[in-house]
Amino acid sequence: MKVHAICISAQRGTLKQEVPSAVFVAQSGIQGDGHSGDWGRQVTCLRWESVLGSNEKNHLTMGPGDFAENVTIEGMEPFQPGDRFRLGPDVVLEVSQIGKPDHPSVVTRTFGVSLLPHEGLFCKVIQGGTVRPGDEVVAVP
């Protein structure tokens, strides 16, 4: 597994933009991202293969951040709430929930489809550090 892309947006309810690296802050989220804070959905992860599959199925050309995810991960194995995984050498995330209600989100309103309600991994930052695309992703016991 590896980090495909990292994306942030300054405010909630807006699409995210890809960045070359990001600082993850323990018990907060990604520095500069509107979803940071003391709650269970500090960082959102999504399988890169799900983005590609949705593009094919729905005849779209969506890229990193277009589904409002912070981190797209290539080859992401299934995780459950309470599981932890490491991004790069330092950052540790803990899955707090899988999926969420679609209210309808900016993604659904803009593109007519959303993956986070069914596939999004919502996580808390347990240990901070810097993450870059290409960094290894490893399950933590």
Side-chain angles (χ1 to χ4, degrees):
M1 295 183 290
K2 73 175 184 174
V3 174
H4 178 80
I6 304 159
C7 304
I8 63 171
S9 61
Q11 298 177 357
R12 293 181 187 186
T14 60
L15 299 176
K16 297 188 183 294
Q17 299 297 312
E18 195 169 354
V19 295
S21 66
V23 175
F24 288 63
V25 180
Q27 304 306 318
S28 180
I30 299 175
Q31 194 172 59
D33 187 68
H35 284 86
S36 292
D38 186 16
W39 69 317
R41 296 192 335 224
Q42 297 168 350
V43 175
T44 306
C45 299
L46 188 62
R47 292 178 69 244
W48 176 239
E49 292 82 359
S50 293
V51 175
L52 297 176
S54 181
N55 281 344
E56 186 175 323
K57 177 182 176 184
N58 299 295
H59 308 288
L60 298 169
T61 57
M62 302 194 50
D66 287 343
F67 282 108
E69 79 284 357
N70 293 114
V71 183
T72 48
I73 299 174
E74 293 180 27
M76 186 166 72
E77 59 189 54
F79 290 109
Q80 298 300 317
D83 288 349
R84 291 183 177 192
F85 56 97
R86 183 174 43 80
L87 304 175
D90 301 314
V91 174
V92 175
L93 301 182
E94 180 178 286
V95 178
S96 56
Q97 71 184 67
I98 299 171
K100 70 177 185 87
D102 191 2
H103 41 80
S105 67
V106 65
V107 175
T108 304
R109 290 191 318 267
T110 304
F111 301 108
V113 63
S114 184
L115 294 176
L116 296 188
H118 308 289
E119 299 185 38
L121 286 186
F122 295 92
C123 304
K124 295 190 287 187
V125 180
I126 303 303
Q127 181 175 306
T130 301
V131 177
R132 293 171 181 78
D135 280 352
E136 186 177 28
V137 178
V138 178
V140 175

